[in-house]
Amino acid sequence: MSTEPTVSEPGRTQAGAEGAPGAQSVHRARRAAIAGGVGTFVEGYDFSSYGYLSVFIAPLYFPNDDPVVSLLLTLVVFATAYVARPLGGIAFGLVGDRVDRGKVLVATILCMGVATTLLGLLPTHATIGVAATVLLIVLRLVQGFSVGAEVAGAATFVSEAAPNEVKSRFGAFNPAGATLGFGVAAAVAGLVSALTTTEQMAEWGWRIPFLIALPLTVVCFAIRRRITAEAHPVEQTGKRTSLLDVVRLGWLPVLKGAGLSAAVNGTAYFGLTYVSIHLIQRLGYPKTGVYWVTTAVVVITALLMIPVGRLGDRWGLPRLGAVGMCGYLLVTWAGMWLMGQGNLALAGLAFLVIMANSAFLQVTGYSLSPELYPRAIRFTGTSLGWNIGVVVAGGTAPVVCVWLVRATGSALAPAFFVMTAAAVGLVALAAIVAGPRPGRTGA
């Protein structure tokens, strides 16, 4: 009988459960990691482009005599996508647990790509009136619905394909892809802005980054469809997984996963969404310089995740995560102090030192989360726990950080938000280490 592993046989290797991973196992895991990474890259690019272009979108879809009101309304729509994330995670997750992980991953990337492309083609308020605003909100909700399943789906798919000995190495492709997507989106927005006049950018230039999503989606769709076709449908036992099953079997793992996700996303979104605002509005650095510094830091952080993933297989994922969380506790306050010294190069270096810890946390979060759940509820449980953490700490990060500065009068106050998130993560890690990890053994 063949012992060749499949995605539906997580943790098994050609050399056996206790031996070193076989060549076939590693090859399959590598292909799964590529499928996951290219998908999270496109999702990250699509999802973040709206935020980078919101200043141009605001007057076109929320016209108001006060431009601040227009921008605030645009950012409210940005936030509504986070409301849809848990719903998408549950809906797609149940399909993934009942039917097929791979088909869901193909569907999520297709939904995101179509929604983003349509954003680039959407008529403005001046053309079709309030219908333009409504359609903008609908498309943003579709984006949130899609990305709510993407992270957990890609993490589950790679985790089940990879032998235990290399889960971190290949799991790192998912956060690296997502973070790189954020960086490339910022770079594309900055490049288009640099190559157009202010009037051209406001009239049609802002559409280009959205339209670039179409060829990216086509390429990703082709890669992901081909690779995920190797996956076998989830083995059925005569019982269909329901949300009640997830609550009954997975409420404790969901709590642990949510705590881990809150730490991963609270610290990551601090860097991805707040620091550039802090450098520009609070510290007065030039916008163009800040955008390129942010792009460089985000891209370097993404690339750092690949070697960090190898460390995770040597050290163990809990230890890898602890290193990142302790790093945030040690360097965040000092890093923010250095940012305020009036030198953008020094601020960028401090930003990079802080964000290096995110590489450790994101690799841990993406690779460890699927291990918390039994197979029957793994996709849905991972989605639910992860998205609770994103909503609680990720989506709120920029708002809480701005409020802390205002409430305390200290530009260093956001450091305490980051440090609190890291402390929560340490507690979650301790609980994870103390409990079972069904996905580690392929249960």
Side-chain angles (χ1 to χ4, degrees):
M1 181 180 296
S2 172
T3 59
E4 180 183 347
T6 69
V7 175
S8 63
E9 296 172 320
R12 293 177 63 181
T13 71
Q14 199 172 38
E18 301 297 329
Q24 287 276 13
S25 308
V26 173
H27 174 71
R28 188 179 296 276
R30 183 179 295 111
R31 288 174 61 78
I34 292 171
V38 295
T40 56
F41 168 79
V42 173
E43 296 269 3
Y45 174 90
D46 290 357
F47 194 71
S48 62
S49 291
Y50 181 96
Y52 294 128
L53 298 166
S54 57
V55 67
F56 302 103
I57 294 171
L60 297 174
Y61 294 91
F62 298 94
N64 193 285
D65 293 335
D66 186 347
V68 175
V69 173
S70 295
L71 182 58
L72 284 174
L73 290 173
T74 306
L75 293 177
V76 167
V77 174
F78 177 80
T80 59
Y82 289 90
V83 177
R85 286 185 66 143
L87 300 176
I90 293 171
F92 277 121
L94 289 173
V95 175
D97 283 327
R98 292 173 178 177
V99 184
D100 188 282
R101 322 286 206 214
K103 290 179 180 178
V104 169
L105 286 178
V106 172
T108 57
I109 199 64
L110 197 59
C111 287
M112 174 64 85
V114 170
T116 305
T117 303
L118 290 176
L119 280 174
L121 298 172
L122 191 63
T124 65
H125 189 280
T127 304
I128 61 173
V130 71
T133 304
V134 173
L135 289 172
L136 178 72
I137 295 171
V138 170
L139 290 174
R140 187 63 184 163
L141 287 172
V142 172
Q143 285 188 315
F145 195 82
S146 172
V147 79
E150 171 62 29
V151 169
T156 299
F157 185 74
V158 175
S159 179
E160 292 184 342
N164 288 336
E165 298 85 349
V166 291
K167 282 186 184 290
S168 178
R169 177 192 308 182
F170 293 116
F173 280 67
N174 288 323
T179 305
L180 190 62
F182 273 80
V184 171
V188 170
L191 184 61
V192 173
S193 179
L195 295 177
T196 58
T197 65
T198 302
E199 293 75 18
Q200 289 172 332
M201 189 66 185
E203 184 178 352
W204 53 263
W206 64 272
R207 297 181 182 273
I208 295 176
F210 289 126
L211 296 177
I212 288 175
L214 180 59
L216 288 177
T217 299
V218 171
V219 172
C220 175
F221 176 81
I223 294 173
R224 187 169 262 189
R225 184 180 182 184
R226 179 178 178 182
I227 294 178
T228 56
E230 296 178 355
H232 293 275
V234 176
E235 297 170 2
Q236 298 297 311
T237 60
K239 186 177 187 299
R240 294 175 67 82
T241 302
S242 68
L243 186 58
L244 182 61
D245 295 323
V246 178
V247 175
R248 180 174 57 85
L249 298 174
W251 67 270
L252 184 57
V254 166
L255 287 179
K256 295 177 183 179
L260 178 61
S261 173
V264 173
N265 289 289
T267 54
Y269 275 78
F270 163 79
L272 295 173
T273 63
Y274 173 72
V275 169
S276 60
I277 297 172
H278 182 77
L279 294 176
I280 294 170
Q281 293 188 349
R282 185 71 186 180
L283 302 181
Y285 290 110
K287 292 181 180 179
T288 301
V290 168
Y291 289 146
W292 289 116
V293 164
T294 301
T295 299
V297 169
V298 171
V299 170
I300 292 172
T301 301
L303 297 177
L304 183 61
M305 292 177 189
I306 303 304
V308 165
R310 290 179 174 269
L311 284 179
D313 289 324
R314 295 174 57 186
W315 295 355
L317 287 169
R319 184 179 298 177
L320 189 76
V323 168
M325 292 171 194
C326 290
Y328 269 115
L329 290 170
L330 291 173
V331 307
T332 304
W333 190 92
M336 292 201 71
W337 180 83
L338 288 173
M339 289 179 188
Q341 300 309 299
N343 186 306
L344 183 56
L346 181 62
L349 180 60
F351 184 14
L352 178 59
V353 171
I354 293 173
M355 282 298 289
N357 295 293
S358 183
F360 289 80
L361 259 65
Q362 290 199 59
V363 170
T364 299
Y366 278 71
S367 302
L368 185 57
S369 292
E371 295 186 1
L372 305 180
Y373 306 92
R375 179 181 183 79
I377 63 167
R378 188 169 296 145
F379 196 145
T380 312
T382 304
S383 296
L384 189 57
W386 188 267
N387 284 306
I388 289 173
V390 172
V391 172
V392 170
T396 61
V399 175
V400 172
C401 289
V402 170
W403 176 82
L404 284 172
V405 172
R406 183 181 181 86
T408 64
S410 171
L412 302 179
F416 296 104
F417 167 82
V418 175
M419 295 162 72
T420 300
V424 169
L426 285 173
V427 174
L429 271 182
I432 289 170
V433 170
R437 286 156 61 185
R440 185 67 180 170
T441 61

